[in-house]
């Protein structure tokens, strides 16, 4: 039996129903993710009402499985954490209502967690020692932002996308090519080992820390429409190369400006092998430590919510009893 305190974390912000048990030293005792990808694939993206209904059906088995896998019961828990935003309001509401009921019934403290802080905390799932200050790039389906963190929960915004996130651009390009949802893994696979032969734009390459991916997506669409004999693999490789060139250029600028000892890359797009390789090469060049979550923990999961939940509990205690979903929640910046 463990003497370490245990926290149950729940995540339902988008299309994954997830639960995890994380101990106070941030060791993950269990992590269960039920993906709704098959449900939404036919629509080329997440359908909010279907996502909420699937969370309602799946949340009890997922939480039960997380407790079983960790070999614990409610009596062993010290706290509950749940994603409070950002995300789809109906999807968030399922997790929050469920976690509130558990916390009330089991008389446990409950903490609401910002999903973005969850992603930023996901590097603890790979490394117990996380150096600060760090340059942290958050690249997911919903977000593309470059921050500087002085400690967990203390961020400065360097720049973000002015239009689409990078994951959104991957998903839109994949949908246009008829490759299904989500676009990241399939475009990565097609692009793997191919040269970048098509001259797609590198938007805002020279402009500070802001990003833009909507024009790049349009350039891909125009190329495909104008060339009926186009090669899917060439398009994928050239699109991925354009995205990566932009990300790496911004990271290089930040490392040149700040010279921080760590570079964190988090969010679903951090599962990309090519992004990991190029970021590692960049980190080596600057003598900086690269921090990335394990590939399976880059996309949405509850283990990262558990880590951020411990950070939030330690820093500011439980959330007020009346907290609710915050679909547009942002990071708090210094
Ligand atoms: O973090 P996440 O699971 O959900 C949000 O919080 O948005 O990120 C999902 C995004 C999707 O846009 C998906 O296409 C992208 O992450 N993604 C990838 C890969 N796996 C998932 N992008 C590039 N390469 C991948 N291997
Ligand atoms: Zn996410």
């Amino acid at each position: 039996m463990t003497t370490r305190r245990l926290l149950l974390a729940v995540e339902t912000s988008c299309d994954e129903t997830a639960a995890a048990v994380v101990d106070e030293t941030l060791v993950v005792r269990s992590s269960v993710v039920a993906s709704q990808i098959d449900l939404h694939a036919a629509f080329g993206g997440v359908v909010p009402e279907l996502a909420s209904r699937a969370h309602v059906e799946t949340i009890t088995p997922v939480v039960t499985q997380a407790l079983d896998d960790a070999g614990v019961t409610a009596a062993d828990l010290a706290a509950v954490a749940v994603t409070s935003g950002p995300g789809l309001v109906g999807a968030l509401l399922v997790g929050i209502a469920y976690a509130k009921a558990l916390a009330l019934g089991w008389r446990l403290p409950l903490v609401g967690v910002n999903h973005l802080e969850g992603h930023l905390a996901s590097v603890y799932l790979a490394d117990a020692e996380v150096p600060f200050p760090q340059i942290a790039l958050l690249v997911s389906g919903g977000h593309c932002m470059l921050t500087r963190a002085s400690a967990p929960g203390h961020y400065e915004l360097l720049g973000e996308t002015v239009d689409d996130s990078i994951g959104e651009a991957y998903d839109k390009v994949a949908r246009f090519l008829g490759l299904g949802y989500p676009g990241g893994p399939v475009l990565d696979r097609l692009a793997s080992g191919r040269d970048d032969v098509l001259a797609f734009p590198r938007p805002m390459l020279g402009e500070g820390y802001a990003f833009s991916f909507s024009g790049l997506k349009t350039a891909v669409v125009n190329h495909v429409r104008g060339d009926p004999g186009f090669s899917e693999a060439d398009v994928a490789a050239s699109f991925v190369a354009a995205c990566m060139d932009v990300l790496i250029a911004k990271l290089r600028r930040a490392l040149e400006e700040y010279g921080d000892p760590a570079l964190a890359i988090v969010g679903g797009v951090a599962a990309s092998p090519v992004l990991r390789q190029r970021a590692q090469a960049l980190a080596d060049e600057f003598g900086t430590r690269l921090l990335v979550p394990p590939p399976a923990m880059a996309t949405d999961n509850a283990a990262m919510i558990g880590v951020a939940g411990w950070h939030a509990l330690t820093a500011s205690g439980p959330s007020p009893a009346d907290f609710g979903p915050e679909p547009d929640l942002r990071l708090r910046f210094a």
Side-chain angles (χ1 to χ4, degrees):
M1 222 12 246
T2 179
T3 53
R4 290 183 186 153
R5 293 187 303 150
L6 300 173
L7 174 146
L8 171 71
V10 173
E11 151 67 40
T12 63
S13 66
C14 190
D15 59 343
E16 260 92 30
T17 316
V21 174
V22 180
D23 80 24
E24 62 187 322
T25 65
L26 309 183
V27 170
V28 178
R29 300 298 183 90
S30 66
S31 173
V32 178
V33 180
S35 171
Q36 304 175 5
I37 281 176
D38 294 345
L39 184 66
H40 301 289
F43 302 94
V46 178
V47 183
E49 176 64 13
L50 293 183
S52 308
R53 289 179 189 217
H55 287 308
V56 170
E57 282 168 17
T58 318
I59 192 156
T60 297
V62 164
V63 168
T64 307
Q65 180 84 44
L67 294 174
D68 286 353
D69 287 357
V72 300
T73 66
D76 301 312
L77 296 175
V80 180
V82 64
T83 304
S84 60
L88 302 168
V89 67
L92 290 164
L93 198 52
V94 176
I96 292 173
Y98 199 88
K100 278 190 175 182
L102 293 185
L104 268 174
W106 295 343
R107 298 179 191 282
L108 293 171
L110 175 66
V111 64
V113 172
N114 184 324
H115 181 83
L116 306 178
E117 294 205 30
H119 277 301
L120 289 162
S122 67
V123 295
Y124 285 88
L125 303 171
D127 283 275
E129 287 298 311
V130 171
F132 288 92
Q134 58 182 236
I135 302 292
L137 175 70
L138 198 169
V139 273
S140 68
H143 295 84
C144 180
M145 60 171 70
L146 191 61
T147 69
R148 232 185 132 218
S150 54
H154 291 82
Y155 311 103
E156 175 195 344
L157 180 66
L158 299 183
E160 62 189 330
T161 184
V162 297
D163 43 53
D164 290 352
S165 75
I166 179 164
E168 202 174 343
Y170 268 79
D171 294 341
K172 285 178 176 170
V173 165
R175 180 162 59 189
F176 180 72
L177 295 174
L179 298 172
Y181 169 85
V186 62
L187 288 173
D188 274 350
R189 238 183 345 265
L190 274 172
S192 164
R194 303 284 299 200
D195 287 336
D196 160 27
V197 291
L198 305 169
F200 291 143
R202 270 74 173 150
M204 301 184 94
L205 197 65
E207 292 166 54
Y209 296 114
F211 302 87
S212 164
F213 291 102
S214 145
L216 170 58
K217 173 205 66 195
T218 306
V220 172
V221 169
N222 289 341
H223 171 84
V224 168
R225 288 206 172 120
D227 177 12
F230 77 94
S231 147
E232 236 171 36
D234 285 346
V235 168
S238 305
F239 167 74
V240 168
C243 289
M244 294 303 137
D245 282 356
V246 171
L247 295 184
I248 296 296
K250 307 280 169 172
L251 293 175
R252 173 181 293 283
R253 180 166 300 138
L255 288 172
E256 277 167 357
E257 182 168 353
Y258 298 103
D260 286 337
L263 168 64
I265 304 194
V266 301
V269 182
S272 155
V274 53
L275 177 54
R276 284 168 179 253
Q277 269 162 24
R278 291 195 55 181
Q280 186 63 63
L282 184 72
D284 291 347
E285 187 185 325
F286 281 83
T288 294
R289 183 134 148 242
L290 178 68
L291 304 168
V292 280
M297 298 285 192
T299 46
D300 290 350
N301 65 84
M304 68 185 196
I305 302 302
V307 173
W310 274 120
H311 285 154
L313 260 184
T314 310
S316 36
S319 298
D322 62 350
F323 85 92
E326 293 185 78
D328 301 318
L329 186 62
R330 289 178 56 83
L331 281 180
R332 255 178 309 110
F333 295 113

